[in-house]
Amino acid sequence: MKVKKLSSLVLGAALLLTLLAGCGGTTASTSASPSPSASNQTSPAAEQVTLNISAAASLTDVMNQIAEAYKTVAPNVKLTFTFDSSGTLQTQIEQGAPADVFFSAATKQMTALKEKNLVETDTIKNILTNKVVLIVPADSKSGLTSFQDVATSKVK
């Protein structure tokens, strides 16, 4: 399980760094005045930028970990998260909530926003998938090796 969590964190960090790489040379649509602690971490020439990220609630832990790691790479960028169901986030975006990045748990919501011209089509990327996995401790005596085994009497 630890490997899966680390893999998710590394994948998420790589993804977020890739998505945000272009932010250094541009001004985000929403900027905030730097806080005293933030201004101590950035050079005088670095403009404070806030990125509003709407993400599926299932990504809360990994996104918060990515945000902490990202502070060392881009201390002038403040990541502000809104976590909720993808449907709720879609509705919020449709009603004008600020969102620079949207991580949806399903394509349905992204498609709906695309059809309403509320996202830049060339920026939509399918980057993650959900899969059911079977995890059995290495020292398990259960005999479980597949999902089919779960439905048999091997499960105690």
Side-chain angles (χ1 to χ4, degrees):
M1 188 88 162
K2 198 174 200 177
V3 172
K4 182 179 175 187
K5 189 173 191 176
L6 179 60
S7 297
S8 295
L9 179 60
V10 170
L11 175 62
L15 166 69
L16 191 58
L17 292 175
T18 301
L19 288 172
L20 301 176
C23 295
T26 62
T27 302
S29 60
T30 306
S31 61
S33 57
S35 65
S37 61
S39 62
N40 292 336
Q41 298 172 1
T42 60
S43 68
E47 180 182 350
Q48 189 69 22
V49 175
T50 298
L51 289 178
N52 296 298
I53 302 171
S54 294
S58 59
L59 299 174
T60 302
D61 291 340
V62 73
M63 290 304 229
N64 285 326
Q65 291 174 13
I66 290 169
E68 284 301 312
Y70 195 68
K71 286 179 186 177
T72 62
V73 177
N76 65 311
V77 178
K78 178 183 177 190
L79 304 179
T80 302
F81 293 95
T82 300
F83 297 104
D84 212 319
S85 71
S86 297
T88 298
L89 294 171
Q90 172 196 342
T91 301
Q92 291 174 353
I93 293 168
E94 289 170 342
Q95 293 175 355
D100 299 306
V101 180
F102 176 40
F103 288 98
S104 178
T107 57
K108 175 183 172 184
Q109 287 78 26
M110 191 63 71
T111 301
L113 292 173
K114 177 183 172 182
E115 289 172 355
K116 294 178 180 181
N117 294 318
L118 294 173
V119 294
E120 294 185 30
T121 304
D122 61 336
T123 65
I124 298 172
K125 307 285 183 228
N126 292 325
I127 53 171
L128 302 171
T129 59
N130 287 326
K131 292 186 179 185
V132 177
V133 296
L134 177 64
I135 300 172
V136 179
D139 61 351
S140 173
K141 307 276 189 254
S142 69
L144 295 175
T145 59
S146 70
F147 286 106
Q148 290 76 18
D149 293 342
V150 174
T152 68
S153 61
K154 290 183 181 181
V155 179
K156 296 177 183 169

